[in-house]
Amino acid sequence: TATAKVISDIQDVLHMNNGEECHKSTFNRPNIHYEVRYKDSMTKDPIEDLIHFIKKEHKTAHTANALCSGIIYVHKRNDTNFLTSKLTAAGIQAGPY
């Protein structure tokens, strides 16, 4: 369960400051896909693999007229900023948190 501070931070990052409702529910939901990929199992550069994956998923969602979003977890803040810059340079809307 997210703390009030975490909820507030997320709302700020997502620009949800106009009175939008915040719905809380269980973390285990069937409409969410979780995937772990280890760098050493990738055939290409890990960043390029990630960009390819995101673009493929976005295209599939767009074709289905569905929304597409995701969260990428990394170990360090610097990794977050680096990854955000790589995704943005590839034409993917991204922001660090």
Side-chain angles (χ1 to χ4, degrees):
T1 304
T3 65
K5 171 75 172 126
V6 169
I7 291 170
S8 176
D9 286 348
I10 291 169
Q11 288 174 318
D12 286 344
V13 168
L14 296 176
H15 306 288
M16 295 176 61
N17 303 322
N18 297 318
E20 295 88 354
E21 292 184 45
C22 178
H23 299 279
K24 293 188 228 177
S25 65
T26 177
F27 186 76
N28 188 13
R29 299 195 319 259
N31 64 323
I32 295 180
H33 171 82
Y34 305 95
E35 185 170 337
V36 176
R37 292 183 174 202
Y38 296 97
K39 286 182 184 179
D40 58 356
S41 70
M42 296 181 184
T43 57
K44 301 179 190 176
D45 172 57
I47 302 293
E48 289 302 316
D49 278 357
L50 179 60
I51 289 168
H52 175 75
F53 173 79
I54 292 169
K55 287 185 174 184
K56 183 183 86 175
E57 289 298 311
H58 179 73
K59 183 176 181 180
T60 301
H62 183 71
T63 301
N65 201 25
L67 297 175
C68 185
S69 62
I71 299 172
I72 303 167
Y73 292 96
V74 296
H75 292 284
K76 301 175 193 164
R77 171 59 92 175
N78 285 342
D79 293 344
T80 302
N81 294 328
F82 174 76
L83 184 56
T84 298
S85 69
K86 291 292 188 179
L87 294 175
T88 303
I92 297 168
Q93 185 177 358
Y97 172 73

